[in-house]
Amino acid sequence: MLYLKIQDLHKRKFKVAQIAKELKISRPTVYKYLEMTFEEAKAYTEQPLGRSKKLDSYKDWILAWLEEYPHLSAAQIHDWLLERYPDLTVGGSTVRSYVKEVREVYQIKKKVMVRQYEAIPEQPMGKQLQVDWGETKQKTTNKKEIKLYFIAFVLAHSRQKYTEWQTRPFTTRDAIRCHENAFQFYGGRTEEIVYDQDHLITVSENAGELLLTAEFQSYVNERKFIVHLCRRADPESKGMIENVVKYIKGNFADSRVFSDIEDWNHRSLQWLKRTGNHQVHQTTKKRPAEVFLVEKQHLKPVSSLLSYESTNNQSITRSVSKDNTIRYKSNRYSVPLGTYQTNAENLVLIEVSGKEPPTLVVRKDAESEIIAEHSISLEKGKLIQNRNHTRDRSKGVEEFKRRLISFFKDQPQALAFFNEISQRYPRYRRDQFAIIHQVVQKYPALIDTVLAKCMREKLYSANDFRDMAQHIHTLPHDSVKEIKSFYTHPAKHSQIKTSTRSLNAYTSILGGRP
């Protein structure tokens, strides 16, 4: 293709310099192709580019990427090669010259987008961290498109970067969580943090008196760092982080295929280690990761984990899953068996205690006792389970049944009830008994009334037992006493006789004939 274009322009009396400018190639390349025959040019392009080069084995990949994504930079292709071939050792200049030659030979033009930034003064070590948000649209593995959101951090001195992604817009709680993760990533915090005037952290500028949201202000008070909010239309104050956002979009995210958010965040961290914090910075001419080793010593230490979920003195809710677990920071934590109930709201309150190590505390509501307590795991995808929350395997089902029966006044009636349940649900006896055990703990004063009513109505199910208890609990006190008297003392009502009337009495009332 290149050979034919050069020959065509040459026949049209274009000079060598004009051909090179028109095709965006070098003049030596034009001379080289003008001296070739068609067969020689064809043989040349089918062979590795020029003399044998280090990247010839990867030419097919590079060419395929450039043909599909012509805008890709040599730096991004370099990162993609390292991602696919981790053992490859090749310099950035080698990749740039090879990509340039591939573009020339195969006439793949690059669309260049230029954005101007003003210079900002260098910051001392440990002084400043800049933060900003961004979003991208990615193709998914099933050929659809998804919108992703990310937060980016950069240390102003070393340019050490950190980023975190999610599939929904950020909330203030998300921002606080990511700040905590960034502090753990860096191993400390800076004196001040620079932000744009984002609605997640600020309410208004108020003529210089910047007002933060209550939740973020509470977090700042607890972490004790200085907040610097950029004035509107003031890009020089946050030029570093804007470049980082652009770098993340253009190098990591551009044309990358999305599968799931956990994989995406994992690959993002790998990219930071491999490219984002490893490649030499164009301004400092140093690797951010190497400079960071020195700057890290100037950061202010932070505790291992802050109760960011409750910085505004508010607990947050979690839904209880069918397997009696709740989710917190990518892990599952157990709650007592029977906490989950069918056709119920199944919400609990969680909070993080300030003690060391940090502990996750679970309650049914703000005033209730603690139902679960776990040490927080720093891993992901784990099940943290308290053995007390599982089925009591140390004792048999029969022992569990005897223990439950002991709570009832009419133990023979309770025995009959539990035996009937065992007969109807032989495989789920322990589950049925566990539900009744929850009712016994929650409504101890009603269980005898509930048992009597269930026996009389032939409701032999733990779910019926629980529903009956909840219903009676909502009734007025007098009604409960009446029900209790009727079902627990049937002998009192056994002498009551109902009056009977003849059929003629009813027909006369209804106006019919006798």
Side-chain angles (χ1 to χ4, degrees):
M1 181 67 71
L2 180 61
Y3 173 83
L4 295 176
K5 286 184 177 181
I6 291 174
Q7 295 294 335
D8 178 62
L9 292 176
H10 182 65
K11 289 178 181 178
R12 292 163 56 187
K13 307 301 182 183
F14 276 65
K15 296 180 180 180
V16 171
Q18 292 174 320
I19 295 174
K21 184 177 180 180
E22 176 70 19
L23 299 179
K24 293 181 174 57
I25 58 178
S26 64
R27 281 179 290 179
T29 301
V30 177
Y31 283 119
K32 179 173 60 181
Y33 278 95
L34 286 174
E35 295 172 357
M36 291 182 182
T37 65
F38 178 78
E39 288 73 18
E40 290 172 339
K42 183 179 179 182
Y44 174 76
T45 55
E46 289 176 352
Q47 294 176 357
L49 298 177
R51 63 182 183 275
S52 178
K53 297 181 180 178
K54 189 171 185 177
L55 292 177
D56 285 342
S57 302
Y58 312 97
K59 175 185 172 184
D60 290 343
W61 279 111
I62 296 172
L63 181 59
W65 291 334
L66 289 175
E67 287 178 339
E68 187 169 1
Y69 312 110
H71 61 282
L72 290 181
S73 65
Q76 193 170 357
I77 288 178
H78 188 188
D79 177 67
W80 285 17
L81 285 171
L82 294 177
E83 182 178 29
R84 186 170 291 275
Y85 303 102
D87 297 331
L88 176 64
T89 55
V90 62
S93 59
T94 302
V95 177
R96 283 195 298 273
S97 60
Y98 196 85
V99 169
K100 180 182 178 183
E101 195 167 355
V102 170
R103 286 188 183 278
E104 286 185 355
V105 172
Y106 293 94
Q107 282 294 278
I108 303 174
K109 298 180 181 180
K110 179 182 179 183
K111 184 178 180 181
V112 180
M113 298 180 66
V114 180
R115 184 176 178 182
Q116 300 296 329
Y117 293 90
E118 295 185 36
I120 60 175
E122 288 295 322
Q123 297 291 330
M125 290 188 179
K127 173 68 176 178
Q128 187 183 96
L129 179 70
Q130 294 190 9
V131 182
D132 204 358
W133 288 262
E135 56 187 58
T136 66
K137 289 184 178 180
Q138 306 296 144
K139 295 292 184 182
T140 64
T141 52
N142 56 1
K143 308 299 182 182
K144 295 183 179 180
E145 192 174 70
I146 187 173
K147 197 169 187 178
L148 298 180
Y149 304 83
F150 67 93
I151 185 172
F153 300 79
V154 61
L155 288 173
H157 181 84
S158 64
R159 270 62 166 190
Q160 181 82 344
K161 293 167 279 292
Y162 176 75
T163 184
E164 201 163 324
W165 297 75
Q166 58 187 48
T167 55
R168 55 177 172 77
F170 276 80
T171 65
T172 303
R173 288 189 187 277
D174 293 326
I176 294 173
R177 184 195 73 244
C178 292
H179 275 68
E180 287 299 294
N181 292 341
F183 293 159
Q184 298 302 315
F185 177 80
Y186 290 126
R189 66 162 179 84
T190 54
E191 292 180 19
E192 70 174 19
I193 303 181
V194 177
Y195 304 92
D196 204 348
Q197 291 192 33
D198 193 276
H199 70 281
L200 298 179
I201 63 173
T202 182
V203 177
S204 69
E205 196 170 1
N206 195 25
E209 294 293 332
L210 299 170
L211 302 178
L212 302 181
T213 61
E215 196 168 15
F216 195 74
Q217 182 65 67
S218 177
Y219 176 66
V220 172
N221 294 341
E222 197 159 354
R223 272 303 186 204
K224 296 179 175 56
F225 56 82
I226 300 171
V227 174
H228 175 81
L229 291 179
C230 299
R231 297 185 63 183
R232 300 188 187 281
D234 184 23
E236 63 271 15
S237 298
K238 52 184 175 61
M240 292 181 192
I241 190 60
E242 289 199 356
N243 275 319
V244 170
V245 169
K246 175 187 173 183
Y247 187 36
I248 292 170
K249 288 182 178 180
N251 191 293
F252 170 72
D254 189 8
S255 306
R256 193 180 292 271
V257 179
F258 175 85
S259 57
D260 61 73
I261 194 62
E262 288 78 13
D263 171 73
W264 188 265
N265 271 309
H266 176 68
R267 293 165 72 186
S268 175
L269 290 174
Q270 288 182 322
W271 173 82
L272 286 173
K273 183 178 181 180
R274 179 183 64 243
T275 299
N277 292 324
H278 178 75
Q279 297 297 329
V280 174
H281 195 275
Q282 292 183 358
T283 302
T284 64
K285 305 303 180 185
K286 300 175 182 178
R287 300 184 192 276
E290 295 176 355
V291 182
F292 171 69
L293 293 177
V294 181
E295 184 176 18
K296 184 177 182 179
Q297 302 173 27
H298 296 263
L299 298 177
K300 296 186 179 298
V302 295
S303 58
S304 59
L305 184 68
L306 181 70
S307 175
Y308 61 84
E309 297 282 16
S310 56
T311 56
N312 206 25
N313 297 323
Q314 294 179 349
S315 297
I316 60 173
T317 59
R318 283 290 189 273
S319 295
V320 180
S321 302
K322 290 183 178 179
D323 59 356
N324 288 287
T325 62
I326 59 171
R327 291 190 175 274
Y328 177 74
K329 292 192 70 175
S330 302
N331 289 317
R332 291 182 299 150
Y333 293 83
S334 67
V335 292
L337 195 69
T339 303
Y340 176 85
Q341 297 184 7
T342 308
N343 300 323
E345 194 174 20
N346 290 311
L347 291 178
V348 293
L349 294 180
I350 67 170
E351 58 186 29
V352 179
S353 70
K355 62 183 181 181
E356 293 291 340
T359 304
L360 183 69
V361 177
V362 186
R363 305 174 191 270
K364 286 294 290 181
D365 52 62
E367 304 300 326
S368 67
E369 296 181 356
I370 296 174
I371 64 171
E373 197 169 1
H374 297 277
S375 294
I376 293 177
S377 172
L378 299 180
E379 299 181 84
K380 291 187 176 181
K382 298 294 183 181
L383 171 63
I384 294 85
Q385 193 171 40
N386 187 328
R387 292 293 297 174
N388 294 333
H389 297 163
T390 59
R391 291 184 174 90
D392 187 2
R393 294 179 174 85
S394 62
K395 300 179 180 179
V397 177
E398 290 301 316
E399 173 61 26
F400 190 17
K401 182 174 73 172
R402 283 193 293 271
R403 189 150 43 92
L404 282 176
I405 291 173
S406 67
F407 289 105
F408 294 87
K409 292 179 180 178
D410 191 344
Q411 293 190 8
Q413 187 181 48
L415 176 61
F417 180 71
F418 282 101
N419 285 342
E420 186 67 30
I421 287 179
S422 299
Q423 185 176 353
R424 295 191 180 203
Y425 306 98
R427 293 179 55 196
Y428 302 97
R429 290 177 298 163
R430 191 187 294 273
D431 296 315
Q432 291 276 317
F433 296 164
I435 294 174
I436 295 175
H437 185 237
Q438 291 288 324
V439 177
V440 169
Q441 290 181 316
K442 191 170 185 179
Y443 307 109
L446 299 179
I447 59 174
D448 292 298
T449 305
V450 174
L451 175 63
K453 186 169 176 60
C454 285
M455 289 293 288
R456 187 176 181 86
E457 302 292 339
K458 293 182 171 52
L459 300 175
Y460 301 110
S461 163
N463 291 322
D464 291 334
F465 189 90
R466 180 196 62 215
D467 294 343
M468 184 69 71
Q470 291 174 343
H471 170 68
I472 294 176
H473 179 68
T474 61
L475 295 176
H477 183 67
D478 291 341
S479 299
V480 174
K481 288 178 63 178
E482 191 173 321
I483 293 173
K484 183 176 181 179
S485 174
F486 181 81
Y487 284 106
T488 58
H489 303 286
K492 291 183 179 180
H493 309 279
S494 60
Q495 303 302 321
I496 298 176
K497 300 292 185 179
T498 57
S499 60
T500 57
R501 298 180 182 179
S502 66
L503 183 61
N504 292 340
Y506 292 101
T507 55
S508 62
I509 293 173
L510 296 174
R513 293 180 180 178

